[in-house]
Amino acid sequence: AGFVTISYRSAADNEVVCSPSKIFSGVFHKEEDTNGTKVLVDENAFPEDKDILIEIVSCRNLLAADKTGLSDPYVKVKVGTKDLHTTKHVLKSLNPAFSSDHNNALVLSNVRDMYLAGGLTFKVKDYDPGILGGNDELGAITVPSSTIYELNGEKEFHLSPPKGHGEDAGFITIRCRDATLGDKEDWKMRKSLIGKMVGKVDSHNNVAMPDDIMKCIDKEDKIFLLEIVSCRNLLASDKTGLSDPYVKIKYAEKTVHETKPIHRTVNPVFTKDTKNSYILDVPTMDLFQKQGLQLKVKDHDPLFSKNEGLGTVDVSADELYNFISEDSKEFKIDPPSGKSDDAGYLTLKCTILTESERDAHKRGLLNRLGIQAKSNSSSISSMPDGCDLTLLIEIVSCQNLPKADRNSSDPYVKVKMGSKDIHKTAVISKTCDPIYTIATGSLFIIHVNEKEFRENEVGLEFKVKDKDTVSKSDELGIVRVSGKALCDAAGERMPLPLDCADGSESLLNLRCRPATGYDLKFMEYAAQHKKDPNAGFLSVDKRLDILLKPKIRPSKTLLMKEKDHMEDNGIEKFRVRPNPDPARLAQTKWLSHDEIQSESLKPSAQWISIGSGDIGYVFVEVIGASGLPNLDKGLGSGKSDKTDAFCLLVCENCCAKTDIIDNCLNPRWLPWMQRAFRINLDHASSDLFLGIFDYDDGLSGDHDMIGRVPIELSGMVPNTEYLLTLPLHADSFSSERKSNGTITLRIRIEYSACRDVVLSSLKYPPPQPFINVKAKKD
């Protein structure tokens, strides 16, 4: 096994000789023990000192710590019992690859400490936010000092599992080499802020990042719009029993904002007129380093130089960072020294802004507070003199309008502000329930002076009229909306009763909210492309036609003349409807039963994205349906006239349809057809509804529903693919429901971040969805 050569001498009275095991590992150090005894050191036991660049490259085959069968791994590097470095975590992976974005590199500047500790320890852990518990260990390995010192390249090491997890914990790959001057400068720059914040930079310029700091570093930067809403039960500083309160915001010991004072009250309510808003846009690391904000409530006294303090509120970085956007929170005010324990309460609202919203606010364009400024351009975004508020108004639909013609009307909506016409929608023909879209002029922008507009009892007048080419257009109904109602609206649907001459109970549905910078750009772009329906954003409306209306098909008569099956070498084959694969026309025009079944289970070639949420995605592929009833009996001739099936999906505020499969009771939607949808989810408790319908053209009335099935998405395991075959029922109420066949679909759900899912669940019940379609029939 080789030989070991050691040197020795007699120990002095105050020295002890290490045990052989410590000698072999090089663990002796010339330092005093607690009892004053010195440990003997052989100075030749350490190699030449140098700086080593250590990079955590990747891990593979790690243990699964989450219910999803995945982990969120990160790596902690230790020398002895001292934390040396921590990477950022990689989401949802058992085979993470670390890069500079994950803070994966460190420079080891003290080889001696590594040899004294016997090597470097690499611990792989699973990151869990505080709301879900601690960080579980996935495995660890102590790499000998000599290996780290001599390694010049990559090497993979087998991880030792934590107790109770068997023998296999996967592998970790590290890369080592001598650090260059550039490496050391880069390391020094990256750790400077972290080291100062943690306060654990040692004499060798190495820095430790404990778990709580690592979580802070991993947090993304946010832009906060802070609004001081109100105070209540403040201390009285005047002889009248009242105060003249205002609020001062301090960050990093500096005053960054002050509101205007509100006179003679102990229950002030702050508005934008009193400068109650402030944007805090700092790096998250800096926010945590400065430990949040301090709000000081003070009494304004113009006669004396010093304004009396009424109390303070300390908002920690953690409280501020975890604010739910647009939520308000009441804080207890700490009294000034020498005052009563009860100094009242302060209510703070916090909104998370995007960069565009922040820029719009700073440019003076409208944000959530309604602040506006003039624009130099002569466009929709230009702010007229005297105006300080811009509103985006949407005419959504009308319901149950009077019939101006024999069976229906041709309605449009005209909008007036005072005596001036400011907007008119397009005419929607032959309906009493029109639905307006971008292409039919549903959206328009108005610029107003907020104070004057709020006081106006008739802010806007909406007239619904019937278009008549021969005579004057008939008035179907009218409604007047106050300026205050429009200013206070926040985008929710407003059903407004129309005043109709014949007494009809008709409704006009509106939406209104302050316009953002993006809204202004969008409307300006829309105006530029209004004359070209095939260009720009109007193609979105054409896209809606594709989503909400199945493809136009040949008439029943033509379809029944086509042969729908044939024999090829004794094998029965069926015509592929509605069309074969465009890339394989000859091969997929006719397919056997087994070939159709095999093709239907292949991955979809095209996906359509729908919905407006941001917490995750639902991937749905409608594979097929079986055993459907024939709802087209008697409409055509012979046995070939059967159900024309399509599937409708509804989730939250969106819906979409598959292609139509004509004359088939067991339809299969194949990968090249319209069958695959990615739903952008907004709420964790939302449900998905699927219905199979028999398509009818305009002559036969509404599409006939065959059956429906609801799917509770919250009961599904994320990142798991399900292939489901579910029974179709015509209703949800009958105790003895009869199945109208089955539907087969492939579905999986993915969440962007677990924290967003938890926060969305707090908004219960989910907001009521409204779905716009092109026609009532859809």
Side-chain angles (χ1 to χ4, degrees), residues 380 520-530 535-537:
I380 288 177
L520 297 173
K521 288 182 180 179
F522 179 85
M523 293 300 293
E524 187 169 353
Y525 189 71
Q528 293 171 359
H529 290 74
K530 189 175 181 180
F537 84 102

Side-chain angles (χ1 to χ4, degrees), residues 553-562 577 662-663:
R553 62 201 179 100
S555 67
K556 276 281 191 183
T557 307
L558 290 175
L559 286 171
M560 288 184 290
K561 288 181 179 178
E562 287 187 350
R577 299 184 189 277
D662 293 293
N663 296 324

Side-chain angles (χ1 to χ4, degrees), residues 356 360 363 365 513 515-524:
S356 60
R363 288 194 310 266
L365 291 175
R513 63 170 172 79
T516 65
Y518 174 82
D519 296 331
L520 297 173
K521 288 182 180 179
F522 179 85
M523 293 300 293
E524 187 169 353

Side-chain angles (χ1 to χ4, degrees), residues 198-219:
V198 179
K200 291 188 179 180
V201 180
D202 62 21
S203 59
H204 296 280
N205 221 20
N206 288 323
V207 58
M209 273 196 298
D211 286 351
D212 56 342
I213 299 303
M214 186 277 296
K215 291 180 184 178
C216 164
I217 293 169
D218 194 68
K219 294 180 186 294

Side-chain angles (χ1 to χ4, degrees), residues 146-217:
S146 58
T147 303
I148 296 290
Y149 189 87
E150 297 169 3
L151 182 60
N152 185 21
E154 291 185 7
K155 188 170 182 179
E156 188 176 70
F157 299 90
H158 196 284
L159 294 168
S160 300
K163 291 182 181 179
H165 286 79
E167 298 181 356
D168 189 8
F171 300 85
I172 183 171
T173 299
I174 64 171
R175 182 189 299 124
C176 297
R177 62 174 171 83
D178 293 349
T180 64
L181 181 61
D183 295 331
K184 290 186 282 187
E185 288 297 323
D186 180 62
W187 169 242
K188 183 179 179 180
M189 182 177 63
R190 284 190 292 115
K191 70 180 176 46
S192 58
L193 176 60
I194 302 167
K196 290 176 184 177
M197 180 176 166
V198 179
K200 291 188 179 180
V201 180
D202 62 21
S203 59
H204 296 280
N205 221 20
N206 288 323
V207 58
M209 273 196 298
D211 286 351
D212 56 342
I213 299 303
M214 186 277 296
K215 291 180 184 178
C216 164
I217 293 169

Side-chain angles (χ1 to χ4, degrees), residues 5 29 61 220 233 245 263 279 330 343 358 362 390 424 490 521 529 532 541 592 603 623 652 718-720 725 745:
T5 301
H29 195 22
N61 301 340
E220 65 182 27
N233 301 338
H263 298 287
I279 289 181
E330 189 175 69
R358 175 202 61 193
K362 289 183 177 179
T390 298
K424 186 171 73 171
K521 288 182 180 179
H529 290 74
D532 185 3
D541 197 64
S592 67
I623 305 297
E652 295 182 341
N719 301 304
T720 302
T725 299
L745 61 141

